[in-house]
Amino acid sequence: MTITQFISADEIRSRFSRAMSDMYREEVPLYGTLLDIVSEVNAQVLKNNPQLRESLADTNELARLDVERHGAIRLGKPEELHTMRRVFRVMGMYPVGYYDLSVAGVPVHATAFRPIDEASLKINPFRVFTSLLRLELIEDASLRLTATEILAKRQIFSGELIHLLAQHEAGKGFSDEEAERFVSEVKEIFRWHQEATVSKEMYRQLHDAHRLIADVVCFKGPHINHLTPRTLDIDAVQAQMRLQGMDPKAVIEGPPKRQHPILLRQTSFKALEEKIMFAGDQQGGTHTARFGEIEQRGVALTPKGRALYDSLLEQARSHNNEGSAGSAYGDRLAAVFQSFPDDLEQLRKEQLAFFRYEMKDEDLFRQLAENGETRSLDALLAAGAIVAEPIVYEDFLPVSAAGIFQSNLGGTEQKHYAAHSSRARFEEDLGVPVQDEMKLYEQVSQQSVTRLFQMLEAATANP
Ligand code: OOG
Ligand code: NI
């Protein structure tokens, strides 16, 4: 009897992110150029900073430094979101967080499908920012109906994929060959199709309602619209993009440059104008949707830290009602963020950021255990028995995401939606509630403390 080795969710996710990278590099050659810049800058940073190189090597980060950290798709209808959730689950990716972009003039709401436990994040943290179009925000009733009908006709999942999905959900894992087929079928969902499924006139109408509506409704499927590798120096990559004439967006989204990075900084080269064909038309036209992005992540903030971040960002953006426009934005942002402590111990003590506690000196730890001082993390830290390591932020930022959307939709038009966020509706479509990211970070932190004290109990039990 032969025993089939099932392929793990982490491995399937890794294969998937690799497949997406290969496909996107082929589809958007400029993205390949961006990857080259990222890897040159990363190499330079490592050369200048041997200490960083060592710490990345210690945590096995070096080998996969330049690989993609996230991508984004835009879905058209509830059933697509529901099935996508099942697809991502096979790859160990679960919906975390709810992002309402309508407040920023983008008619979608979204979640991020990502790995949630520490071990999986470490193997491969690849996530997909997944938006669902909110058709109810199309004002013109007849256009709304037409869009709904166009979407109703499309089927983005192949029969083969649905079959494999059912097999997996019945508790039968995937063999190597099945995992390959699964990844390949999933990749196909996100492939770019130059042929719009609608006439030129219909495209124009939907485009006039909102560029994003045309992007979602007029194509055969939800093409991947960007992938995002990790850079060790986002300012350097931004400068390089400019030097090489890649048309980066005007500002880096998120917090300013700091000694100790917090949350997430991201920027992109702007979406390319690409040739498309319309149904029943020989001439064709152009469509602007696909781009390349980079990200640099820092420590996850507690609700208190996040509130401070949000208020400082708002302060920088509300100046003269300019948002992030205007040449002084960078300076203003840096000035305002002076009030955000840039010292790890202070961030920890003031409970602004999440930390994980690791053993540093076990002998010392045991000694302190005998003195009965060990219940205090502060005392253990001060004595050098343990260390506190920042927990990396694994999610997205709504204001940044809106900025990324906007600079990649071409045009300068600003729509305003009076919509209220509808998380309940999103979760109903999804089929499950989204997970609360704060709880996940809290858990990681708590678990690290539990691990330490379990060691302590073992130490006291057998001195
Ligand atoms: C998604 C934009 C959001 C990010 O990194 O914040 C995003 C989109 O344009 O579909 O990917
Ligand atoms: Ni992105």
Side-chain angles (χ1 to χ4, degrees), residues 70-74 129 131 225-226 266 291 293 396-397 400-401 404-405:
H70 84 257
I73 55 168
R74 303 158 184 169
F129 191 91
S131 309
N225 67 55
H226 68 279
Q266 47 196 151
F291 58 98
E293 188 193 17
F396 293 87
L397 297 167
S400 299
I404 297 276
F405 265 107

Side-chain angles (χ1 to χ4, degrees), residues 208-250:
D208 286 354
H210 196 295
R211 281 164 178 266
L212 196 97
I213 297 175
D215 184 55
V216 176
V217 177
C218 301
F219 295 89
K220 195 176 155 203
H223 37 261
I224 184 94
N225 67 55
H226 68 279
L227 284 177
T228 311
R230 168 190 186 188
T231 170
L232 296 174
D233 186 345
I234 197 165
D235 302 277
V237 178
Q238 174 87 336
Q240 266 303 316
M241 281 203 280
R242 209 163 271 144
L243 275 177
Q244 302 201 14
M246 280 171 79
D247 194 19
K249 65 193 285 310

Side-chain angles (χ1 to χ4, degrees), residues 98 100 102-103 109 134 136-137 417-423:
Y98 173 75
D100 173 22
S102 70
V103 289
H109 47 186
R134 292 177 67 181
E136 75 272 19
L137 298 184
Y417 293 104
H420 29 82
S421 85
S422 60
R423 179 184 183 137

